[in-house]
Amino acid sequence: MRAYRLITEDDTSDFCHRVTEALSKGWELHGSPAYAYDESSGKMRCAQAVIKEAEGEYSRDVKLGAL
């Protein structure tokens, strides 16, 4: 199965740590990061898609962060 996640976070070092953690667990970057202003919180937000090949069949019960 090919798994997909979209990591989002406020524009802080926490975002970079979350992406780095995913990369260290075998996820790969998919496309460019996105950066946008969240008017409701008054903060900039970041997003990065990541993908990973994983064993097994897809199910909505799969915990993507645990892959």
Side-chain angles (χ1 to χ4, degrees):
M1 130 175 108
R2 190 169 201 186
Y4 170 91
R5 290 174 56 200
L6 181 64
I7 300 170
T8 61
E9 184 74 47
D10 288 344
D11 182 23
T12 66
S13 63
D14 288 339
F15 172 75
C16 294
H17 284 286
R18 290 184 64 201
V19 173
T20 300
E21 179 183 23
L23 294 174
S24 74
K25 292 181 176 181
W27 292 84
E28 296 180 21
L29 298 178
H30 183 70
S32 299
Y35 192 67
Y37 181 71
D38 180 354
E39 197 169 315
S40 65
S41 69
K43 297 179 181 180
M44 294 301 291
R45 301 267 305 163
C46 300
Q48 175 63 59
V50 293
I51 57 174
K52 182 178 186 179
E53 288 294 330
E55 291 189 24
E57 295 292 319
Y58 171 73
S59 163
R60 281 185 121 359
D61 296 329
V62 171
K63 303 296 183 203
L64 297 172
L67 292 177

